[in-house]
Amino acid sequence: MALREHSKPPALSPDIEANYVSQTQEARRSKAWKYYGYPAYARHLGSSRDCMVFRRFGQTQARCLLSLQHDIAVLEQRLHDWDAYGMKDPSDNLSCCSLDYDPIPERRHILAELTRTLSEYNGLLSSFASLRSLPRAAARDVTNLKNWHATYPHAIDNSERHDLGHEDDLFQLIPLQQSMFAVTLQHIPVLRSIFRTRRRSDHDEEGVAQYWSDTAMDSAATLLTLIAGLGMLLGSCWWLEHVYDEASRLGLITGSTTLFALGLWGAMGNKPAEVLTGTAGYMAILVIYLSH
């Protein structure tokens, strides 16, 4: 399909071009509504997975669903009323055995309207269900969003700042499934500074938002989890080697197994089957070591 022709902006004089290039960052930020605006805002949202934060409009979507639900119920009742009318009429002409030759045309109109409304209703239901499954935006992502608006005041008109006052309605469009341990590590400033990524061309200006590598952070969390698990296993075996009382050995196995299960839960999240399987394997190794 050929694209429609659009007019091009007029050419600017060299003086205007030179004046634009010579402007300082502070001067441009003082007129963020002119030099940044929606182009820079879209760039910020698209610069990282963490920045892709939007409103869910949960209450409004539920209101729309209720409205469509009511419309469907009204149409359904009208259809039933016409069906009942045709059955009660003593004439044999008002049959309901054919869709092509329906003696009551109104039923065809109602069915057509029901089909359109049901399609809209089902589509909104499915999209809303998918939307509700996405996690709420993390506090640091909301902070990044506020920092951007603070750095570029009035870049977006206040009447179009739809995040203001609706922080609890914001969600992350592309969530990353992370363990509790990995999420905890992200709250440690030293680690965040270590795993910060280099500024790319599609990132915000320096100091506006923080970017770090999720892959590096997850790798660090996995490595620390492995070290902790091996440390607990080898440490317990060495400890058992120097404990001779049966009750003390049982207490050691009970305590270390409990700690291992809690650590595994923090590393794997809410996966009870996997946590129990790993804990059982850990306890089995200790019992086998104890029996020798």
Side-chain angles (χ1 to χ4, degrees), residues 41-60:
Y41 192 36
R43 176 180 178 176
H44 167 73
L45 295 180
S47 64
S48 170
R49 177 191 60 82
D50 293 329
C51 296
M52 298 287 281
V53 174
F54 298 92
R55 273 197 62 187
R56 201 187 307 268
F57 294 101
Q59 180 179 347
T60 304

Side-chain angles (χ1 to χ4, degrees), residues 266-284:
M268 301 184 66
N270 296 321
K271 298 179 180 179
E274 288 84 349
V275 171
L276 287 175
T277 301
T279 304
Y282 173 82
M283 189 173 183

Side-chain angles (χ1 to χ4, degrees), residues 40-82:
Y41 192 36
R43 176 180 178 176
H44 167 73
L45 295 180
S47 64
S48 170
R49 177 191 60 82
D50 293 329
C51 296
M52 298 287 281
V53 174
F54 298 92
R55 273 197 62 187
R56 201 187 307 268
F57 294 101
Q59 180 179 347
T60 304
Q61 295 218 49
R63 185 77 175 268
C64 292
L65 283 170
L66 289 173
S67 176
L68 288 172
Q69 179 179 260
H70 172 71
D71 292 344
I72 292 170
V74 170
L75 290 170
E76 181 186 49
Q77 185 58 50
R78 290 177 184 173
L79 183 63
H80 292 337
D81 291 343
W82 276 110

Side-chain angles (χ1 to χ4, degrees), residues 19 28 35 37 55 77 93 118 140 148 152 155 214 216 219 222 225 240 266 270-271:
N19 179 64
R28 292 186 182 184
Y35 296 108
R55 273 197 62 187
Q77 185 58 50
N93 296 327
L118 277 170
R140 68 173 185 275
W148 189 91
Y152 307 112
D214 291 323
S219 298
T222 302
T225 301
L240 285 172
N270 296 321
K271 298 179 180 179

Side-chain angles (χ1 to χ4, degrees), residues 86-284:
M87 295 175 188
K88 294 176 183 178
D89 188 270
S91 172
D92 291 338
N93 296 327
L94 299 183
S95 64
C96 55
C97 63
S98 174
L99 292 174
D100 291 330
Y101 305 102
D102 195 333
I104 305 177
E106 187 63 23
R107 281 194 296 210
R108 295 290 291 169
H109 297 314
I110 294 174
L111 282 171
E113 191 171 354
L114 266 172
T115 300
R116 292 192 298 270
T117 310
L118 277 170
S119 177
E120 186 177 359
Y121 178 71
N122 293 337
L124 186 56
L125 269 180
S126 298
S127 62
F128 188 43
S130 300
L131 200 62
R132 288 295 302 174
S133 66
L134 296 174
R136 182 182 298 175
R140 68 173 185 275
D141 301 331
V142 177
T143 300
N144 267 343
L145 187 64
K146 291 181 177 179
N147 287 342
W148 189 91
H149 286 288
T151 304
Y152 307 112
H154 307 297
I156 302 299
D157 193 276
N158 284 336
S159 64
E160 300 181 23
R161 283 283 312 279
H162 302 303
D163 59 299
L164 282 175
H166 300 282
E167 287 78 8
D168 291 338
D169 194 44
L170 298 176
F171 72 97
Q172 196 174 55
L173 183 62
I174 309 175
L176 179 65
Q177 299 297 329
Q178 291 181 310
S179 66
M180 187 183 302
F181 191 32
V183 173
T184 302
L185 290 180
Q186 292 179 1
H187 289 83
I188 302 176
V190 175
L191 291 180
R192 285 210 306 268
S193 62
I194 293 176
F195 295 114
R196 287 187 65 178
T197 59
R198 294 181 179 179
R199 185 178 178 277
R200 301 196 311 258
S201 59
D202 60 335
H203 283 175
D204 286 319
E205 293 176 343
E206 191 68 31
V208 178
Q210 295 183 358
Y211 301 94
W212 56 81
S213 172
D214 291 323
T215 302
M217 189 71 75
D218 286 340
S219 298
T222 302
L223 179 60
L224 291 175
T225 301
L226 290 174
I227 292 174
L230 287 174
M232 287 195 64
L233 178 60
L234 298 177
S236 297
C237 290
W238 278 95
W239 201 345
L240 285 172
E241 188 67 25
H242 296 85
V243 175
Y244 304 102
D245 182 64
E246 294 296 332
S248 299
R249 285 188 164 191
L250 182 60
L252 175 59
I253 292 177
T254 302
S256 61
T257 302
T258 302
L259 289 175
F260 183 85
L262 292 174
L264 200 59
W265 171 69
M268 301 184 66
N270 296 321
K271 298 179 180 179
E274 288 84 349
V275 171
L276 287 175
T277 301
T279 304
Y282 173 82
M283 189 173 183

